[in-house]
C-alpha cells in the first residue's frame, strides 16, 4: 500500500514538473534575447548605467552596426589573432552576444552555436575559446546615445565558420 | 470552413500585437496564443521570428521561419531567402529559397524585405559570393535591364555589377557602369571601385583623383549602408587610405 502511495506521488511530481516545463517555456524576459547578470560567469564590476529595463538593441539607434574604428578593425583583429582549427570539419555559425554600457564597456557575453543548417551544436572548444577571448580583448566599443544621452545596448558578432576558419564576421 | 474560422480567430488574436514592440514579452505571448488557436497559420510564426532574426539568434529564428514557410511557402520563401543572405550570409540557402520561390509562382518575385534589391539581384550577389561570377553577371545584367524598363533601379545595383566586371577583367564595362552609378546615386564605393579599375588600366593619376573623391564622399556619409548589417561590396575608410598610400 505504501509503495502505491509512493508511486502516485512520484507520478504526480513528474507530471507537475512537465507542466512547469511547459509553462516555463512560455515565460519571456522583458525582450527577446535579454541577458541577465549571472554572478557565476559575469564580471561583478560590469555595470549597466541606465538599468536592465532600458538596454536597447544596437539597431534601435538607426546607425547600423557601429564599431570603434570601423568594422575593418574587427576584421583585421580576428584575421591576425585567430588561429584556424582545421581538419575537424567544424562549420556553421557562432554568435557572441553581449551588452555595451553607456561608457562603451562590454560585458555579459553569451555564446550561441549551430551547424550550417541552423541546428544547435557545440564547436570545438579551441574555436570557441579563441573567439570569446579575442572578442573580450576589445575593451572599448562605440558609445551610442539617444537624444544626447549615452545608452546601454546589446551588440553581437556572428562568425561564419568553414572547417574551423572564419569566413565572415557579421553584422 | 472550420479551418478558415480557426485562422480567422488566430488572426484576430495575432492582431493584438499592435502597439507592442517586436522584442517584447507581450508581443511574443500574443503570438503564442494565436499559434495555439491555429498552429497551421503562418503569420504568427513569421512575426515571432523577427526579433530572433534581428538579435542574431539563428537557431530560434530558423525554427520559426521554417514553420511559416511550411504553412505558406508562397508568402514566406522569398523572405526567408533574403534573410539568410542579409543576416547570415548563407548564400547557398538563400539561392535555394529564392529559386524555389521563383519556381512556385508565375509572377515577378519582387523586392527584398528592406526594398533595397530585387530578389534576383540578391540571388546574383549570392552566386557571386560562392564564386559563380559569370552566372552572377548574367542574372544581375538581366534584372537591371528589367529594372531600367520599370525605372526602378536599386540604390546599389550598378555598383555590384561594376564590381563583378572588375573582378572578371571587364574594365571598360566596369568604368561605364560606375559612371552610371555616380550619375544615379553617387557613393564613395562607386568612386573607390572606379579607382581600382583605373589602376588596372594603368591610369594612375585618374585613379588617385577617384580615390580622393571617394574619401570626401565617405567622410560626408555618402556610402553604402544597412540598418542591421553591412552591404556586400561596402568599403571602409581604411580601404581608401591604404589604396591611396599604395599609389604614393
Amino acid at each position: 500500500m505504501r509503495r502505491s502511495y509512493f508511486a502516485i506521488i512520484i507520478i504526480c511530481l513528474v507530471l507537475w514538473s512537465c507542466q512547469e516545463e511547459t509553462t516555463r517555456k512560455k515565460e519571456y524576459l522583458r525582450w527577446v534575447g535579454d541577458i541577465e547578470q549571472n554572478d557565476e560567469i559575469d564580471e561583478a564590476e560590469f555595470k549597466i548605467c541606465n538599468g536592465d529595463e532600458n538596454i536597447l538593441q544596437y539597431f534601435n539607434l538607426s546607425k547600423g552596426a557601429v564599431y570603434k574604428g570601423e568594422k575593418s578593425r574587427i576584421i583585421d583583429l580576428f584575421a591576425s589573432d585567430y588561429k584556424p582549427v582545421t581538419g575537424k570539419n567544424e562549420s556553421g555559425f557562432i554568435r557572441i552576444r553581449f551588452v555595451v554600457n553607456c561608457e562603451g564597456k562590454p560585458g555579459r557575453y553569451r555564446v550561441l552555436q549551430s551547424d550550417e543548417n541552423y541546428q544547435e551544436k557545440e564547436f570545438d572548444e579551441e574555436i570557441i575559446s579563441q573567439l570569446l577571448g579575442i572578442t573580450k580583448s576589445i575593451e572599448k566599443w562605440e558609445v551610442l546615445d539617444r537624444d544626447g544621452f549615452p545608452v546601454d545596448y546589446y551588440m553581437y558578432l556572428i562568425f561564419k565558420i568553414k572547417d574551423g576558419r572564419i569566413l565572415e564576421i557579421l553584422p | 470552413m472550420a479551418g478558415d474560422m480557426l485562422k480567422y480567430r488566430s488572426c484576430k488574436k495575432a492582431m493584438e500585437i499592435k502597439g507592442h514592440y517586436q522584442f517584447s514579452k507581450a508581443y511574443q505571448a500574443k503570438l503564442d496564443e494565436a499559434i495555439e488557436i491555429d498552429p497551421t497559420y503562418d503569420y504568427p510564426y513569421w512575426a515571432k521570428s523577427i526579433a530572433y532574426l534581428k538579435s542574431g539568434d539563428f537557431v530560434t529564428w530558423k525554427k520559426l521561419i521554417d514553420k511559416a514557410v511550411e504553412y505558406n511557402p508562397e508568402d514566406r520563401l522569398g523572405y526567408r531567402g533574403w534573410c539568410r543572405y542579409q543576416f547570415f550570409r548563407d548564400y547557398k540557402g538563400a539561392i535555394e529559397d529564392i529559386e524555389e520561390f521563383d519556381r512556385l509562382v508565375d509572377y515577378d518575385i519582387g523586392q527584398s524585405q528592406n526594398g533595397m534589391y530585387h530578389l534576383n539581384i540578391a540571388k546574383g550577389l549570392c552566386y557571386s559570393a560562392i564564386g559563380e561570377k559569370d552566372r552572377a553577371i548574367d542574372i544581375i545584367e538581366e534584372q537591371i535591364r528589367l529594372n531600367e524598363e520599370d525605372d526602378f533601379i536599386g540604390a546599389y545595383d550598378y555598383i555590384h555589377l561594376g564590381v563583378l566586371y572588375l573582378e572578371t577583367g571587364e574594365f571598360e564595362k566596369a568604368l561605364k557602369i560606375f559612371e552610371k552609378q555616380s550619375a544615379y546615386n553617387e557613393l564613395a564605393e562607386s568612386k573607390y571601385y572606379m579607382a581600382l579599375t583605373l589602376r588596372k588600366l594603368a591610369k594612375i593619376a585618374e585613379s588617385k583623383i577617384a580615390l580622393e573623391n571617394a574619401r570626401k564622399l565617405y567622410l560626408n556619409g555618402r556610402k553604402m549602408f544597412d540598418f542591421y548589417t553591412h552591404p556586400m561590396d561596402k568599403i571602409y575608410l581604411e580601404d581608401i587610405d591604404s589604396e591611396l598610400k599604395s599609389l604614393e
Side-chain angles (χ1 to χ4, degrees):
Chain A
M1 192 63 179
R2 283 177 67 183
R3 275 188 184 167
S4 311
Y5 279 130
F6 186 68
I8 289 166
I9 288 166
I10 293 291
I11 289 166
C12 287
L13 281 172
V14 168
L15 288 174
W16 177 76
S17 72
C18 290
Q19 184 65 35
E20 274 292 289
E21 182 63 26
T22 316
T23 316
R24 209 163 33 233
K25 271 181 192 166
K26 295 196 173 177
E27 280 178 11
Y28 296 103
L29 296 173
R30 172 204 62 148
W31 278 3
V32 164
D34 271 355
I35 302 173
E36 295 177 305
Q37 173 75 17
N38 179 346
D39 292 336
E40 287 178 19
I41 54 172
D42 297 324
E43 285 182 25
E45 57 267 32
F46 175 71
K47 297 291 176 211
I48 301 296
C49 307
N50 305 310
D52 278 31
E53 68 280 12
N54 291 310
I55 306 176
L56 301 174
Q57 312 291 330
Y58 71 86
F59 49 82
N60 289 149
L61 289 311
S62 303
K63 291 177 181 166
V66 185
Y67 300 89
K68 212 163 185 56
E70 293 207 306
K71 188 177 171 183
S72 49
R73 267 179 71 180
I74 300 282
I75 295 168
D76 294 345
L77 175 68
F78 281 92
S80 71
D81 290 9
Y82 178 80
K83 305 285 174 277
V85 182
T86 56
K88 295 182 178 176
N89 204 23
E90 289 282 29
S91 300
F93 303 101
I94 298 167
R95 179 195 69 173
I96 298 178
R97 193 156 175 271
F98 48 93
V99 184
V100 178
N101 74 11
C102 67
E103 296 169 346
K105 291 179 183 163
R108 300 188 187 174
Y109 298 88
R110 300 291 184 272
V111 181
L112 179 71
Q113 312 166 53
S114 84
D115 64 17
E116 292 171 298
N117 296 312
Y118 306 85
Q119 299 299 308
E120 234 170 325
K121 68 161 263 179
E122 284 193 13
F123 275 82
D124 187 289
E125 183 50 33
E126 207 184 330
I127 294 174
I128 299 299
S129 62
Q130 281 196 77
L131 293 179
L132 201 50
I134 300 167
T135 304
K136 285 183 176 178
S137 77
I138 306 167
E139 292 175 353
K140 187 91 174 160
W141 291 77
E142 196 74 11
V143 174
L144 295 182
D145 70 89
R146 176 173 265 183
D147 302 326
F149 293 101
V151 300
D152 308 295
Y153 64 95
Y154 287 106
M155 182 63 193
Y156 66 77
L157 295 176
I158 288 179
F159 303 90
K160 192 177 164 189
I161 304 288
K162 187 80 181 173
D163 192 23
R165 298 177 192 280
I166 300 173
L167 286 190
E168 298 203 38
I169 302 174
L170 294 154
Chain B
M1 191 60 188
D4 284 348
M5 197 58 210
L6 273 184
K7 196 162 283 180
Y8 172 72
R9 281 179 47 216
S10 177
C11 180
K12 274 195 80 168
K13 176 55 72 179
M15 289 308 104
E16 291 177 17
I17 59 174
K18 195 178 172 191
H20 295 291
Y21 182 42
Q22 288 167 340
F23 276 65
S24 71
K25 188 192 296 190
Y27 181 97
Q28 294 289 327
K30 293 281 181 202
L31 293 168
D32 285 337
E33 289 177 45
I35 290 170
E36 269 178 38
I37 294 168
D38 182 357
T40 70
Y41 181 34
D42 61 298
Y43 177 84
Y45 295 107
W46 168 77
K48 273 178 71 68
S49 76
I50 299 166
Y52 295 93
L53 174 76
K54 292 180 180 176
S55 62
D57 180 348
F58 33 76
V59 173
T60 312
W61 171 74
K62 187 65 168 35
K63 282 180 189 154
L64 289 164
I65 199 65
D66 283 356
K67 282 281 182 191
V69 169
E70 179 185 343
Y71 296 121
N72 189 350
E74 189 174 337
D75 283 357
R76 308 298 175 197
L77 254 176
Y79 168 82
R80 186 177 70 182
W82 164 253
C83 294
R84 288 168 95 160
Y85 162 73
Q86 188 193 18
F87 283 85
F88 309 121
R89 293 296 192 263
D90 172 10
Y91 304 113
K92 288 182 179 169
I95 290 170
E96 278 171 22
D97 279 351
I98 295 171
E99 290 187 343
E100 195 182 333
F101 177 41
D102 206 3
R103 282 192 294 272
L104 192 69
V105 300
D106 58 3
Y107 49 80
D108 185 278
I109 57 174
Q111 300 290 116
S112 61
Q113 180 71 12
N114 64 0
M116 289 298 285
Y117 297 106
H118 190 281
L119 281 177
N120 280 332
I121 301 274
K123 184 176 75 172
L125 295 177
C126 292
Y127 274 116
S128 172
I130 61 171
E132 294 193 36
K133 302 290 177 187
D134 291 340
R135 194 169 186 172
I137 288 174
D138 288 346
I139 293 167
I140 295 177
E141 274 181 346
E142 173 59 10
Q143 191 55 51
I144 285 180
R145 188 185 66 74
L146 295 169
N147 288 355
E148 284 176 340
E149 272 180 20
D150 293 340
D151 196 17
F152 198 70
I153 312 297
Y156 308 145
D157 287 0
Y158 295 130
I159 286 185
H160 294 306
L161 183 57
V163 170
L164 277 162
Y165 287 147
L166 172 61
E167 287 171 343
T168 52
E170 300 253 33
F171 302 132
E172 295 299 337
K173 274 185 165 181
L175 280 183
K176 272 189 190 161
I177 205 97
F178 290 135
E179 277 162 15
K180 218 167 176 180
Q181 175 72 46
S182 288
Y184 175 67
N185 178 24
E186 181 71 297
L187 294 166
E189 280 80 2
S190 183
K191 287 281 180 268
Y192 172 78
Y193 289 114
M194 189 183 279
L196 298 192
T197 313
L198 288 163
R199 190 171 182 176
K200 291 278 186 192
L201 293 167
K203 296 180 179 176
I204 305 302
E206 288 175 62
S207 175
K208 198 174 174 194
I209 292 167
L211 284 171
E212 281 161 356
N213 283 332
R215 199 171 200 285
K216 276 183 212 156
L217 286 164
Y218 196 94
L219 293 173
N220 283 327
R222 299 287 305 174
K223 54 191 177 183
M224 294 172 87
F225 177 77
D226 183 292
F227 281 105
Y228 299 102
T229 184
H230 69 278
M232 193 185 281
D233 297 327
K234 176 183 164 42
I235 56 161
Y236 300 99
L237 196 59
E238 185 184 301
D239 300 318
I240 303 173
D241 286 345
S242 65
E243 192 62 25
L244 267 170
K245 203 173 174 187
S246 73
L247 285 181
E248 281 170 4

